[in-house]
Amino acid sequence: MEAIQHLINSAIAEEASSQQLHQALNSRLEQVSRVVQLPEDQPLEKLYDFVVRYIEDVPTMLDALQSAALEVGLLDYVQPVIRVASEFFTTPPQEMNKEGGLAAIMGEAYLAMRLFEEVNETYIFKVGQPLIPMDMTMSNIIIHTLIGEPFANDLDELVEQAVEHLFTPAYQSEDFKAFMSRKEADNLVHICRQVPCMSSEMGLASQFA
């Protein structure tokens, strides 16, 4: 987590002088405004603050998820998800070479957050409840829009491939299903309470509400 945080801090410091991500966000304000209602006052800076918050939530969430999983005995099942999400930052896929600076970090954060989203959907289908109790759908849609297609679609495909490799027979065992149905598993609900409403908390209300 320290390595990931160092990468993020370095990219934010670089952005202060390069303004590379600011320029990229500014070019996509119109597209984002079709998804969320941007604040009238300094929409670019508010959008930038949202992106930084989105990025910085990843290591915080990974650390909290690991601690919670260790506490309730789910570490063996959660650790592979943590490992893959972390590797998106420490050893990013070759596809990320087309980006640099904070824009690249935004893409890596998107990979991690989309991984969480896909893992949840898979667990709901297989077990009947999410492994990581949170809803990142709207925030991920905003970042997908900022990254732009077709590149964002390429990143989605990478996530889908990663999820396919994550799920071993152990996750389908009756013991695991029984554990996930126990009340203790609900402790994981408390680790990401701030994330589901992140976009609305930061003044980015959905245009589809």
Side-chain angles (χ1 to χ4, degrees):
M1 303 309 166
E2 290 181 5
I4 295 174
Q5 192 61 60
H6 177 72
L7 290 171
I8 293 172
N9 293 341
S10 297
I12 292 175
E14 179 185 333
E15 175 66 20
S17 58
S18 72
Q19 296 290 294
Q20 181 181 0
L21 181 60
H22 277 81
Q23 295 171 20
L25 297 183
N26 190 52
S27 70
R28 303 201 69 82
L29 280 177
E30 182 179 350
Q31 290 91 329
V32 174
S33 68
R34 298 170 187 165
V35 178
V36 293
Q37 183 178 346
L38 294 170
E40 294 183 7
D41 183 36
Q42 297 184 312
L44 177 59
E45 284 306 313
K46 294 291 177 60
L47 189 58
Y48 174 76
D49 290 344
F50 164 78
V51 171
V52 171
R53 163 79 179 274
Y54 179 92
I55 292 170
E56 291 182 328
D57 270 347
V58 176
T60 300
M61 190 181 306
L62 288 172
D63 188 55
L65 179 59
Q66 180 168 283
S67 297
L70 180 63
E71 181 179 344
V72 300
L74 274 176
L75 189 60
D76 287 345
Y77 300 100
V78 173
Q79 193 64 45
V81 177
I82 295 173
R83 175 181 55 78
V84 172
S86 300
E87 287 175 352
F88 283 143
F89 286 87
T90 57
T91 54
Q94 185 177 358
E95 287 82 354
M96 296 305 301
N97 291 339
K98 62 180 66 178
E99 298 289 345
L102 200 55
I105 300 293
M106 179 177 69
E108 292 159 11
Y110 178 73
L111 287 170
M113 292 295 194
R114 282 286 290 113
L115 178 70
F116 295 153
E117 186 178 357
E118 288 294 325
V119 164
N120 274 349
E121 290 184 7
T122 301
Y123 267 79
I124 290 172
F125 176 75
K126 292 179 177 294
V127 186
Q129 68 180 70
L131 177 65
I132 308 167
M134 66 181 198
D135 181 6
M136 286 298 298
T137 304
M138 180 50 64
S139 294
N140 284 340
I141 288 174
I142 296 171
I143 300 299
H144 182 105
T145 305
L146 290 173
I147 293 172
E149 297 180 356
F151 186 41
N153 293 334
D154 294 339
L155 298 185
D156 288 336
E157 186 174 345
L158 287 176
V159 170
E160 291 171 5
Q161 293 172 1
V163 170
E164 288 180 5
H165 292 292
L166 271 176
F167 290 97
T168 65
Y171 290 90
Q172 303 176 33
S173 69
E174 292 303 319
D175 289 342
F176 177 65
K177 293 179 181 179
F179 186 92
M180 288 297 291
S181 67
R182 288 166 49 189
K183 187 66 178 176
E184 287 85 345
D186 291 343
N187 290 340
L188 289 174
V189 171
H190 304 297
I191 66 175
C192 302
R193 284 298 188 188
Q194 77 278 17
V195 177
C197 299
M198 184 176 71
S199 56
S200 59
E201 282 178 1
M202 301 195 71
L204 304 180
S206 171
Q207 292 283 38
F208 307 105

